[in-house]
Amino acid sequence: MFLAGKTDIGKLRDENQDRFRISMLTDDSAFAVVCDGMGGAAAGGVASDITANAVYERVTLTFRQEMEPKSIKSLLVTSVSTANTLVYNKSREDSMCEGMGTTCVAAIVHNGVCSIASVGDSRAYLLNESGISQITFDHTMVEYLHSKGLIDEDGAQYHKMKNVITRAVGVEPEVEADYFEIDVRAGEYLLICTDGLTNYLSDELIYNTAYRQPIEQTVAELVDMANSKGGKDNITAVLIAV
């Protein structure tokens, strides 16, 4: 198993408010967390930094080789909840951080199972011989409207409320993370990324660039491609090769 990640400020932003942390928990177990901060001034960066570090620390200190999926689910969900409390309390204590929040996708690949906790509109994808498929669900107003049949796929792609997030870490006293669990096999890839990547690169382009390619080279190439298509946002991509 291998993993690699890269983040970039993009071409127009003054600050990179994305954060990611990755770790090989054991020789055959990998962990990654990706966050995309939101908030005025530097507050988004504060929120994503607190969250990425809190989830990373809790997972790396608590994970054990003998853990079953049920225990891993609890670990991921409680890690995100802990981060939520830290960010929320910071926003209440510091007026410069008021209203800040962040997306969060945290994943552990262990014993042929990928466990994922997700809040916001950063995404996790599975890449294999069948193609690319999105695992996570976007917590956005547009995705909500689409799920209710109020707008179609084309309408969702260009809707003016595309970036309005309906759930984020640190905005409310408590947050509910979505949880996903899928079986993974040798040769498959897991991609975790922020919307600075997915807003500019199609699923097909991501797949053709990333699948069965050297992952360190690929994460850099994905970031460069997003920049070449505008780079209007911070860009982060993490790949885990199972």
Side-chain angles (χ1 to χ4, degrees), residues 105-168:
V105 179
I108 293 175
V109 180
H110 176 61
N111 285 347
V113 176
C114 177
S115 305
I116 299 172
S118 173
V119 178
D121 66 347
S122 294
R123 294 177 177 178
Y125 290 87
L126 180 68
L127 288 70
N128 56 27
E129 59 187 10
S130 299
I132 181 171
S133 56
Q134 184 176 336
I135 303 168
T136 52
F137 179 87
D138 293 350
H139 297 137
T140 62
M141 183 59 68
V142 163
E143 186 58 41
Y144 172 79
L145 295 173
H146 181 248
S147 69
K148 297 296 182 181
L150 299 176
I151 56 175
D152 59 19
E153 193 74 36
D154 289 338
Q157 186 175 358
Y158 301 106
H159 200 281
K160 63 181 180 181
M161 299 181 72
K162 180 178 176 66
N163 295 320
V164 177
I165 297 176
T166 56
R167 197 187 307 178

Side-chain angles (χ1 to χ4, degrees), residues 82 192 216:
T82 296
I192 305 174
E216 288 192 8

Side-chain angles (χ1 to χ4, degrees), residues 25 31 54-64 67-82 106 108 115 117 179:
L25 301 172
F31 162 77
V55 175
Y56 173 84
E57 289 171 7
R58 190 176 181 94
V59 168
T60 53
L61 287 172
T62 306
F63 179 83
R64 298 292 181 269
M67 275 187 164
E68 298 293 332
K70 182 178 180 180
S71 297
I72 292 176
K73 173 183 179 180
S74 177
L75 173 57
L76 287 173
V77 171
T78 57
S79 296
V80 174
S81 179
T82 296
I108 293 175
S115 305
Y179 177 75

Side-chain angles (χ1 to χ4, degrees), residues 186-208:
E188 296 185 325
Y189 285 16
L190 178 74
L191 169 67
I192 305 174
C193 56
T194 59
D195 63 349
L197 188 81
T198 54
N199 281 343
Y200 298 97
L201 305 184
S202 67
D203 287 1
E204 181 181 12
L205 183 54
I206 291 171
Y207 180 75
N208 290 337

